[in-house]
Amino acid sequence: MKDHHVVWRLALACAAVFAGFAEASAAIDLIPMPVKVEEREGTCPYDPGKIDYIADESVPKEGYRLVVSPEGVKVFASDDAGRFYAGETLRQLAKRISESEKVVPCVEIEDAPRYPWRGFHLDECRHFFGKETVKSMLDLMARYKLNRFHWHLTDDQGWRLDVPGYPELVRYGAVRSASVRHRCWASTGSKEDADKLNGTRYGPYFYTESDLREIVAYAAERHIQVVPEIELPGHVYAALAAYPEFACFPENLAARDPRLVWGIESDVLCIGNDRALKFMENVIDWTCRVFPGDVVHIGGDECPQERWKTCPKCQARIKAEGLKDVGDLQPWVTRRFVKFLEARGKRALGWDEYLLGDIPKSAIGMSWREDRVGAGHELVSGAAAAARGHDVVMTPTSYCYLDYGQGLKEDPFTYIFGKITLERCYSFDPCAGVPEEARRHILGGQGNNWSEYTWNEYDLQWKAWPRMLALAEVFWLGERKQGYADFERRARIHRGRLVASGINCAPIE
């Protein structure tokens, strides 16, 4: 397998050498395109060690002013992120004129992001990718000025964290006895194929605390905040396989195996069990110490309530807390963990369903649904959440889900369903449909790669790129972005560069 991967990389690189020589001659082919660019005649030698950085508090956060003249390069910025992004812009501008020399065109650029949240999401529960793949993705995120890495680390099909004091989490939760076969029903036309298993043990795959801290530090060097996701109260079947006593009915977990097929699991966290809640508090407390960012994602999506209806402990909780019915249990537990995170200087983030009920305004919503799907909970749209005073990250399925098909004529990879083309990604407007007075609550957005049908880094790269180029520009420029035709011209150039660097980037058709 390793030899196959090496040959693949060499083939991609060799093919792209010629693409590199054929790049358009236009000097300004940046992604994301800066807010304001003024081209001038002449060039300047590119030497990262000879850049004059000047503090300027008038420059917006993460923004920069870049002045390139024959005399040298000056960068004006108010923070380290702005200086870093100016450096990434210079790297994109640099053109090789000999084996040892690069130049940058003389230019003056004024630039700052439209949105503070410019993210990429990776699910490592269904399939595990490992540190090197994660670092490669972080490198690409930094190149295109993306600054939030949403890391989905716990779900029904896998638990990827080695939490001190809970050894069973990786003993049972990080390994599956089998997985769904490679082809899905959407591509074969047979719904029955969805649950066919391959009979192959998967795992154990997980990250140690040392691994996590290494990734966090690597991301921080690139001005990327890692946002860990610890799912609750649903999507916890892998954790319950490790500790069945935290389920409403432990006998359902007798096999001690995470969920083997994709989809939603009916066995969820027992809200009436104080030990189960304490377990989650301990896990999240440890998570807060390992991940220094100010946001922790607590899931909250697709949580069936059927077990709670017949669970004596959950019914007792309803009575003790003066709740109306099982529908009040999830808002109750959400409030508990929002406040738990507030006490640790963090903000809770969750999928839109977790905003049902009276939830503290510090809670951030992540808007993914455009209608009532999943476990059937009422829809809390991004517009509605923003109007209620919640900050919101927009990531709707019809624009931002990279596990949906790309609409390519020929595509060797499997998708869960849907069709999201490169142009569709570029047309995304995070503020569409949001009342003007509530738009200040829209933090930005992110591209999501769920991994039910994403098995390795080549599959992952193909699905993410070049569509993440479009989303990177959307999140940086917002309504200031130029038309798709100009973006496509630049995207073709960047695709050649990505392929030349060994990235399995899908074609632009």
Side-chain angles (χ1 to χ4, degrees), residues 15-73:
V17 167
F18 300 101
F21 286 126
E23 285 183 1
S25 60
I28 308 303
D29 49 36
L30 299 166
I31 295 180
M33 195 66 179
V35 174
K36 182 179 179 182
V37 182
E38 183 180 339
E39 297 182 67
R40 298 170 179 172
E41 292 187 1
T43 62
C44 175
Y46 174 64
D47 184 346
K50 293 183 179 180
I51 299 173
D52 187 11
Y53 291 101
I54 302 166
D56 186 343
E57 294 302 317
S58 69
V59 177
K61 185 178 180 181
E62 295 189 287
Y64 61 91
R65 186 162 68 90
L66 173 64
V67 179
V68 180
S69 69
E71 289 74 42
V73 178

Side-chain angles (χ1 to χ4, degrees), residues 25-345:
S25 60
I28 308 303
D29 49 36
L30 299 166
I31 295 180
M33 195 66 179
V35 174
K36 182 179 179 182
V37 182
E38 183 180 339
E39 297 182 67
R40 298 170 179 172
E41 292 187 1
T43 62
C44 175
Y46 174 64
D47 184 346
K50 293 183 179 180
I51 299 173
D52 187 11
Y53 291 101
I54 302 166
D56 186 343
E57 294 302 317
S58 69
V59 177
K61 185 178 180 181
E62 295 189 287
Y64 61 91
R65 186 162 68 90
L66 173 64
V67 179
V68 180
S69 69
E71 289 74 42
V73 178
K74 294 182 179 181
V75 171
F76 300 82
S78 60
D79 59 13
D80 289 340
R83 287 183 279 274
F84 179 82
Y85 292 138
E88 291 301 311
T89 294
L90 282 167
R91 284 180 59 192
Q92 288 193 29
L93 284 170
K95 307 292 182 184
R96 187 174 298 281
I97 59 173
S98 71
E99 280 294 319
S100 59
E101 187 178 6
K102 290 183 178 181
V103 297
V104 289
C106 291
V107 67
E108 183 167 345
I109 292 175
E110 293 183 14
D111 205 9
R114 167 65 176 84
Y115 295 106
W117 190 290
R118 307 178 303 279
F120 175 78
H121 160 283
L122 179 62
D123 165 21
E124 288 213 70
C125 301
R126 282 55 179 249
H127 287 97
F128 185 83
F129 301 95
K131 284 194 298 184
E132 296 311 309
T133 297
V134 170
K135 287 181 178 180
S136 174
M137 185 57 69
L138 291 170
D139 288 340
L140 292 170
M141 289 177 63
R143 185 185 305 183
Y144 295 107
K145 301 181 176 69
L146 297 163
N147 68 349
R148 295 290 188 278
F149 177 54
H150 175 184
W151 208 0
H152 190 76
L153 292 164
T154 74
D155 212 302
D156 293 323
Q157 294 82 9
W159 182 282
R160 306 301 177 202
L161 300 168
D162 186 10
V163 181
Y166 294 100
E168 307 290 76
L169 285 172
V170 295
R171 182 181 178 185
Y172 292 102
V175 57
R176 292 193 298 267
S177 62
S179 303
V180 174
R181 291 180 181 177
H182 280 199
R183 303 303 293 177
C184 70
W185 71 268
S187 60
T188 64
S190 172
K191 181 67 174 71
E192 287 69 33
D193 284 347
D195 292 346
K196 287 185 178 179
L197 299 176
N198 59 14
T200 302
R201 178 181 170 91
Y202 190 80
Y205 298 123
F206 60 89
Y207 290 103
T208 66
E209 182 172 328
S210 176
D211 293 331
L212 298 171
R213 292 187 183 277
E214 180 182 338
I215 291 293
V216 166
Y218 192 88
E221 291 172 358
R222 289 151 181 79
H223 294 274
I224 297 170
Q225 181 180 145
V226 180
V227 180
E229 181 173 0
I230 311 296
E231 283 270 13
L232 68 93
H235 286 297
V236 294
Y237 199 79
L240 299 182
Y243 295 96
E245 62 269 30
F246 299 150
C248 291
F249 301 101
E251 60 271 21
N252 292 349
L253 285 298
R256 307 293 296 275
D257 209 349
R259 181 178 168 94
L260 305 183
V261 298
W262 318 138
I264 301 171
E265 178 55 55
S266 296
D267 285 288
V268 300
L269 193 71
C270 180
I271 305 303
N273 186 335
D274 288 336
R275 289 185 59 220
L277 297 179
K278 183 62 176 176
F279 158 72
M280 276 298 179
E281 287 179 349
N282 290 342
V283 168
I284 291 179
D285 186 59
W286 172 80
T287 300
C288 289
R289 296 195 299 272
V290 174
F291 295 89
D294 61 349
V295 175
V296 173
H297 202 301
I298 58 173
D301 63 313
E302 299 179 324
C303 182
Q305 300 173 357
E306 58 200 77
R307 298 290 188 257
W308 297 343
K309 293 177 182 178
T310 56
C311 173
K313 290 182 180 179
C314 288
Q315 290 299 311
R317 179 75 73 193
I318 291 171
K319 184 176 181 180
E321 297 295 332
L323 306 178
K324 183 174 62 175
D325 52 31
V326 293
D328 286 345
L329 281 176
Q330 183 161 343
W332 179 85
V333 78
T334 298
R335 287 191 294 272
R336 180 183 179 119
F337 281 95
V338 169
K339 293 175 182 177
F340 184 85
L341 285 166
E342 283 179 349
R344 285 151 183 78

